[in-house]
Amino acid sequence: MSSVILAVSEKMGQWLETTPAWMQSAPESIQNIGYQFYQTWVLNDNWKYFTNGLKVTALATIGALIIGVILGVLVAVIRSAHDSSRKKPSVLLRILNTISKLYITIIRGTPMIVQLLIMSYVILVPRGQDELLRCAILTFGINSGAYVAEIIRSGIQSVDVGQMEAGRSLGFNYGQTMRYIIIPQAIKNILPALGNELITLVKETSVATVVGLNDLTKGAQIIVSKHYTTMVSYISLAAIYLVIVLVLTKLLGMFERRLKNSDR
Amino acid sequence: MTDNIIEVKGLQKHYNGGKIKALNGITTSIKKGEVVVVIGPSGSGKSTFLRCLNLLEEPTGGQVIFEGVDITDTKVDINVHRQKMGMVFQHFNLFPHMTILKNMIIAPMKLQKKSEEEATKLAMDLLARVGLEDRANAYPAQLSGGQKQRIAIVRALCMQPEVMLFDEPTSALDPEMVGEVLEVMKQLAKENMTMVVVTHEMGFAKEVASRVLFLADGQLVEDAPPKELFGNPKSERLQSFLAKVL
C-alpha cells in the first residue's frame, strides 16, 4: 500500500517539475487534481481511450437509432392500422398486432441491462469487439424500438382523422396516406419526445460496459483501473456525455424550428 | 340507364348492430352533369349518405354502382374508383405540412404518375380559376377559411374526377366567406361537372340544383327539381323543415 503511494508521489514529483511554477506552489489538493488530469488525458496517450470509446458509443447510438426507428414505425403502423380499422381486421393484421403488443410488453417490462445480458450470453454470444458492438446495436435498437413505437403511435393518433379521410378520398390507399400525409405530421408532433428518446439512447449505451464493450464509459474505467484517477476520469466522462447531449439538444431544436415553418 | 354515373340501390348504414339506422334503404340515381343537392334536418343521414357514395363510410347493406361497377363489392379496388370521385369536406382537411401547390400535385403525381411539370401546370391553371395563383407557395395555415375551401375544391379537381362530392362545404365558414366558395361551385356546375352537394344553403339549392333530395330519418322522403320541391312540398316532414329554414 505505502509503496504504491510512494511510487505515485515520486511520479507526481517528476511531473510537477515539468509544469508551470504556480502549480508547484498550489495547495496539495489542486496539485493532486492536476496530476490526475495529466494521468487521465495526457499520460500514455490515455485520451485515446476516450476518442476510441466515443467512436464505439456513436456507432452504437446511430445503429440502434436506425433499428429503433424502423422497428418503431413498423410496430406503430401495425398497431394503428389494427385499432383504426372499422371492419374486423384481417387475420394477418391480428397476428402482427399480437406480436407487436407482446414485443412492447416484454421490452418495456424488463430492464435494459437484463436484455443485454440475455442477448450477449444466451442468444448471440458474440466474440470480439466487432461482434459485441453488433450485438449491442441490435439490443439497443430492439429496446428503443418499443419506446419509439409507442411515441409514434401517439403521434399518429394526434393527427386529425380528417387527414386520413382526405387522403383516402383522393384515392391513396392506407399505406400511402400514412406515408405521405399522416406520418410526416405525426413526426412533427412527436419530435420533442423522439429527441428525448435519442438522448436517453446515447446515455443508455454505457450499459454495454457490463458485457465488455469498449465504449466511452469503458474507456474511463480502463484509465481508472490503471491510475486510480477516479475523480477526474469519471467527471471527464460525465462532461463528455453532457457535451454530446447539449449538442444533440441544439441540433434537435434547430430541426424543430425548421419543421415549424408551415405553422405560420 | 347508361347516363347514370351513380346508382344507389337500397343503401343502408346501421350502427351498433342495427340499433341506430343512419340510412335505411335509399334508392336513387345521379346522371352525368347533374347537380344533386341533398338537404334535410341534422341527423337525417345526409352526410352519411354522401360518405357512403365513395365508401368513406362502409354501407351495411345495399349497393353503390359507380360507372357501372358495384363499388360496395369487397373485391373491387375502391382506391381506383375514389380517384374519380373528388370530395370536399366541411373542415377543408388540407394537408398542413405541405404548400398549397404540393397539396394539389401530390395525388396526381403519386397516383396518376404525372410528371411534376404536368401536375404543376394543371394545378396553376386551376388556382388561377379560383384567383389564388399567388398563394401557391403558402401553407394552409396562412389562408382564410374561404381560401382554404376553394383550395380544397381545386385540390380535388386536380385528379380530374368524374363527380364531385361536397360535404357541407360552407358550414364551417364565416358568413362573409360563404359567397366566394358557392361562386366556385356555381362555376363548376356551369361547366357540367356532376356534383352531389350536402348543404344548408337553400339559396344555392334553388339556384343551381337540377334535383334536390330531401332526407329525413335515414330515408329519402322527396326527390324533385328545386322549383317543385320548394314551391310545392308534398310531405308534411318537408313542409315543416322548409318552414324552419326558409
Side-chain angles (χ1 to χ4, degrees), chain A residues 86-87 160 162-163 165-173 176 180-181 184-185 261-262 264, chain B residues 51 56-57 79 82-83 85 89 93-98 106-107 110-111 139 141 155 159:
Chain A
R86 264 173 272 178
K87 286 181 295 182
D160 182 49
Q163 294 290 312
E165 289 183 348
R168 297 306 300 273
S169 78
L170 284 168
F172 287 117
N173 62 31
Q176 288 169 323
Y180 299 125
I181 294 154
Q185 295 183 56
N261 61 0
S262 60
R264 192 193 312 237
Chain B
R51 291 159 59 85
L56 273 187
E57 297 284 350
N79 299 314
R82 280 196 186 127
Q83 292 180 25
M85 306 171 111
F89 299 86
N93 296 352
L94 295 178
F95 307 136
H97 59 304
M98 299 176 184
I106 182 157
K110 303 290 179 193
L111 296 171
Y139 282 92
R155 178 178 69 179
M159 288 296 283

Side-chain angles (χ1 to χ4, degrees), chain B residues 37-41 44 46 197-202 205 212-216 229-230 238 241-242:
Chain B
V37 173
V38 186
I39 59 170
S44 60
K46 38 187 203 312
V197 186
V198 170
T199 188
H200 296 288
E201 296 292 327
M202 296 303 150
V212 180
L213 308 185
F214 175 68
L215 261 61
L229 188 126
F230 289 110
L238 178 55
F241 175 72
L242 289 178

Side-chain angles (χ1 to χ4, degrees), chain A residues 27-48:
Chain A
E28 204 177 331
S29 57
I30 301 279
Q31 283 186 12
N32 229 319
I33 291 171
Y35 187 53
Q36 275 200 25
F37 195 85
Y38 166 77
Q39 285 176 307
T40 301
W41 287 95
V42 184
L43 189 66
N44 302 335
D45 280 344
N46 276 348
W47 56 272
K48 281 186 178 164

Side-chain angles (χ1 to χ4, degrees), chain A residues 96-115:
Chain A
L96 287 174
N97 184 55
T98 309
I99 295 172
S100 302
K101 269 179 151 172
L102 195 68
Y103 160 66
I104 292 174
T105 308
I106 291 173
I107 295 300
R108 289 203 306 187
T110 55
M112 168 85 226
I113 192 164
V114 177
Q115 291 162 19

Side-chain angles (χ1 to χ4, degrees), chain A residues 50-66 133 137 140 198 201-203 205-206 213-217 240-241 244 248:
Chain A
F50 285 124
T51 52
N52 289 337
L54 193 59
K55 261 184 242 162
V56 173
T57 294
L59 281 175
T61 308
I62 293 166
L65 182 74
I66 293 168
L133 176 60
I137 287 175
F140 292 129
L198 172 62
L201 193 57
V202 174
K203 295 180 292 174
T205 53
S206 61
L213 183 69
N214 283 335
D215 76 331
L216 189 57
T217 303
I240 295 171
Y241 277 114
I244 299 172
L248 281 177

